[in-house]
Amino acid sequence: MITKKGFLCIVLICILFASTSFAETKIISHRGFWKTESSAQNSLTALQKAADIGVYGSEFDVLMTKDNVMIVNHDGRIKDMVIEKTFYEELSSITLSNGERLPILEEYLLLGKNNKKIKLILEIKSLSTPEKETQAVINVTNMVKKMGMEKQVEYIAFSLHVVKELIRLAPEATVAYLNGDLSPQELKNIGCSGLDYHINVYKKHKNWIKEAHKLGLTTNVWTVNEQKDMEYFINEGIDYITTDEPLLLQQILFKN
């Protein structure tokens, strides 16, 4: 006969199991939630809308201008100007497709700080020299520290130099590598927190998710927009899925 205390324990275990199963795979909105009205990739609106729908994190891209201003934009070139060779003043009047001004990192972080439940997945873009990449890492990590956002910001990068500099200069930070050419064990040896690889990399190396988890590393896959691929990676036990279709992924996770 089950006692009242025993029954309550069973209920709590069931609730914990259900919430854990639901939360196994978390959603990261790629460049914010931009596939919606009045939004645009890497815009402040995209960040706010990602926060509004309750995803785990919002990914965005950061580049450095010639005068060391950190701006939020994906491509290294904008309106025929190479960002790292251009002064910020020349870029400051550029607007995005939704009419917003090209955002700088400080205002992006400030908006994120006002939405404390969402993680900011900050990609430092590759630059032309290791020296410039180191300066970008210094600028970004100093700003994050100054704003007291170390626990809210997670870092990703394609450049192995950027990754190593992040680990050196912000040893407590969450840092994942994007390029897809290193095994989980190699990333563990470097000091990475996880791997953040393209869908095709995981499909080529089918054991890397399990291998990463055994090593205590997190796994994220990008950019997954088709239902069948979302379901595949959920079943594989991926930790995070980066997607342009966060609402679709929410529906799939809810059904599971």
Side-chain angles (χ1 to χ4, degrees), residues 27-29 32-34 36 39 43-59 108 111-120 152 246 250:
I27 302 170
I28 296 173
S29 285
F33 183 25
W34 59 273
T36 185
S39 192
S43 64
L44 295 172
T45 298
L47 171 57
Q48 185 61 59
K49 287 182 178 291
D52 290 343
I53 62 172
V55 296
Y56 171 83
S58 184
E59 184 265 354
Y108 211 89
L111 178 59
K113 191 172 184 178
N114 291 331
N115 291 274
K116 295 184 183 299
K117 291 184 179 181
I118 193 168
K119 296 287 187 180
L120 303 183
Q152 192 177 355
Q250 282 183 331

Side-chain angles (χ1 to χ4, degrees), residues 185-207:
Q185 185 62 64
E186 288 173 308
L187 294 181
K188 178 73 173 180
N189 294 344
I190 291 168
C192 281
S193 308
L195 45 156
D196 192 339
Y197 286 169
H198 188 268
I199 180 173
N200 292 337
V201 175
Y202 285 113
K203 290 193 172 182
K204 180 180 179 181
H205 302 279
K206 294 183 181 295
N207 63 320

Side-chain angles (χ1 to χ4, degrees), residues 70-105:
M70 308 309 297
I71 66 170
V72 179
N73 194 67
H74 177 266
D75 295 340
R77 182 185 293 269
I78 186 167
K79 294 188 181 295
D80 296 323
M81 292 180 285
V82 177
I83 289 172
E84 68 171 288
K85 296 180 179 180
T86 306
F87 290 103
Y88 173 66
E89 185 177 358
E90 299 176 65
L91 302 167
S92 60
S93 61
I94 291 175
T95 55
L96 305 179
S97 61
N98 66 342
E100 285 184 32
R101 182 176 52 81
L102 184 70
I104 59 173
L105 176 59

Side-chain angles (χ1 to χ4, degrees), residues 146-178:
K146 182 180 179 181
M147 297 180 72
M149 297 181 68
E150 296 98 321
K151 293 183 179 179
Q152 192 177 355
V153 176
E154 301 179 2
Y155 299 101
I156 54 177
F158 280 97
S159 165
L160 190 57
H161 178 74
V162 168
V163 165
K164 289 180 177 179
E165 288 294 83
L166 283 165
I167 293 167
R168 181 177 71 88
L169 294 168
E172 301 302 317
T174 298
V175 181
Y177 182 53
L178 290 165

Side-chain angles (χ1 to χ4, degrees), residues 223-240:
T223 302
V224 183
N225 294 330
E226 300 294 329
Q227 180 171 339
K228 66 180 191 310
D229 292 323
M230 292 174 178
E231 291 172 344
Y232 170 83
F233 282 103
I234 291 168
N235 291 334
E236 287 295 305
I238 200 86
D239 296 303
Y240 308 99

